[in-house]
Amino acid sequence: MHKKKIDDLELYQMGFEIQEIGNNAVEKAIKETKQKGIPVVFSQNGVIYYELPSGEITTKNPFDKFSVLKELQQND
C-alpha cells in the first residue's frame, strides 16, 4: 500500500479549512446563545469574562443569579 505524502502547502490549506469550520461553529454557538438570553463566556489573557444579554461585559459570574431567577420563575 502506497500512502500519498502531504506537502507543506496542502497541510497549510487543510489547517486553514479546519480553522474556518471551527470559527463558523463558534460564531453560530455565540449567536444562538445570545438569542436565548444566556451570557456568553470567553477568556482573554487568562481572565474569564461574561457578556451579558444587555451587552455589558463583566468578570463577575452571572450564572448563580440566573439560576435563582429561573428557579423562581418555575415556582410561579
Side-chain angles (χ1 to χ4, degrees), residues 14-75:
M14 287 171 55
F16 182 78
E17 290 172 11
I18 291 168
Q19 182 178 6
E20 186 175 22
I21 291 167
N23 288 344
N24 290 338
V26 168
E27 287 177 20
K28 181 180 176 188
I30 289 172
K31 181 180 177 183
E32 290 175 3
T33 300
K34 287 181 176 183
Q35 287 174 343
K36 293 178 181 181
I38 300 170
V40 175
V41 183
F42 62 97
S43 69
Q44 189 171 28
N45 297 327
V47 179
I48 298 174
Y49 294 94
Y50 304 88
E51 183 178 350
L52 305 179
S54 66
E56 176 188 355
I57 296 176
T58 181
T59 56
K60 185 176 178 186
N61 184 343
F63 287 106
D64 293 331
K65 176 179 156 184
F66 284 103
S67 296
V68 171
L69 288 175
K70 187 175 181 180
E71 193 173 307
L72 288 173
Q73 290 173 346
Q74 289 175 349
N75 292 332

